[in-house]
Amino acid sequence: MNLFGDGLDAAVHKAFTRPAPKSAPAQMRYLVRQLKGTGAVAQMLRISQRTVERYVKDQIRKPRPDLAARLDREVKKRWQPQIRARARQKAATTGGIVIDTRARLGYTAPIGSTDQDRIRHLTVALPPQYAARLFDAQQAGADDQRLKEIAAEAIKEVYFQDSGRRAGQLEEVRFTDIEHLEFDL
C-alpha cells in the first residue's frame, strides 16, 4: 500500500473539473483513445486485445475485480493532465498543502525534554516549498518512506518548531503508526 503517494494523488483528483468515466466500457474507450489502439491497452492491462475490443463495443460490461481496479487506476492516472499539473503548480508555488493525520509522533531532542512518542491528530497547513518537495519526489518515483521523511520534516518545521519560533534544538521527528492520512490542496 502506497499511503503517501495515493494520498497526494487523491488530493490532486479533488481538483478535477469533470468526473472520470465510471463504467468499464467508457473507461476502456477512453484508454483506447489515449493510447491510440486496443493492442497497447491490452498489453498495459494484461488482457487480450479481443477482450478490449469487446469492452469497447459494450459486449462486456462488468470486469473482474482485479481488472476493474487496474482499469480505474490507469484512467485516473491519465485523466485531465493539465488540470492535475495546474493544481500541483498552484500548491507548489502559492497555496501549499494541508496534511491531516492521526499517527504516533515523537522527536529527538536534548536531554531533559519530554520526547515521548504519542498518538496525535494533526491538521497542519504546510508551506508551498514542502508541497513542491512532496510532488517533485513523487514525480521522481520516490517510495513511501522518502515521502514520509519529507512530511515528517515539514511537520517538524511547521508544528513543532512553529517556523523557527520555538524548539530550535529539535533534531528529528519520528512519524510512525499512521492510522489516518489525508492531503488537501
Side-chain angles (χ1 to χ4, degrees), residues 78-139:
R78 290 168 174 76
W79 188 251
Q80 293 189 331
Q82 291 149 341
I83 301 288
R84 179 182 292 116
R86 203 173 312 133
R88 283 185 175 143
Q89 181 66 29
K90 181 180 177 197
T93 56
T94 58
I97 193 167
V98 175
I99 183 172
D100 178 43
T101 186
R102 180 168 166 77
R104 183 169 300 279
L105 290 161
Y107 49 87
T108 305
I111 296 174
S113 64
T114 58
D115 60 352
Q116 183 67 37
D117 292 6
R118 68 174 192 246
I119 297 284
R120 301 172 197 247
H121 182 221
L122 300 177
T123 303
V124 180
L126 304 180
Q129 67 263 25
Y130 286 108
R133 286 183 59 198
L134 282 166
F135 286 129
D136 290 345
Q138 183 188 30
Q139 293 286 34

Side-chain angles (χ1 to χ4, degrees), residues 15-161:
F16 287 165
T17 56
R18 293 182 326 217
K22 299 248 186 294
S23 72
Q27 289 175 330
M28 203 64 79
R29 284 190 289 273
Y30 174 75
L31 287 176
V32 168
R33 276 194 309 272
Q34 290 297 307
L35 298 176
K36 297 179 179 31
T38 56
V41 174
Q43 186 177 16
M44 177 188 61
L45 295 174
R46 299 185 308 274
I47 56 177
S48 71
Q49 185 172 352
R50 179 67 186 129
T51 302
V52 172
E53 292 167 358
R54 291 174 65 203
Y55 274 107
V56 168
K57 292 179 183 176
D58 268 340
Q59 293 173 346
I60 304 176
R61 293 179 179 273
K62 186 89 171 108
R64 302 181 313 269
D66 61 322
L67 176 59
R70 286 194 312 263
L71 189 58
D72 191 51
R73 185 179 57 247
E74 293 299 330
V75 167
K76 284 186 177 175
K77 189 189 307 183
R78 290 168 174 76
W79 188 251
Q80 293 189 331
Q82 291 149 341
I83 301 288
R84 179 182 292 116
R86 203 173 312 133
R88 283 185 175 143
Q89 181 66 29
K90 181 180 177 197
T93 56
T94 58
I97 193 167
V98 175
I99 183 172
D100 178 43
T101 186
R102 180 168 166 77
R104 183 169 300 279
L105 290 161
Y107 49 87
T108 305
I111 296 174
S113 64
T114 58
D115 60 352
Q116 183 67 37
D117 292 6
R118 68 174 192 246
I119 297 284
R120 301 172 197 247
H121 182 221
L122 300 177
T123 303
V124 180
L126 304 180
Q129 67 263 25
Y130 286 108
R133 286 183 59 198
L134 282 166
F135 286 129
D136 290 345
Q138 183 188 30
Q139 293 286 34
D143 62 344
D144 235 27
Q145 182 60 36
R146 179 65 187 132
L147 294 174
K148 182 166 46 167
E149 290 168 5
I150 294 170
E153 187 180 323
I155 289 172
K156 171 187 164 189
E157 156 110 23
V158 175
Y159 178 75
F160 288 111
Q161 293 183 326

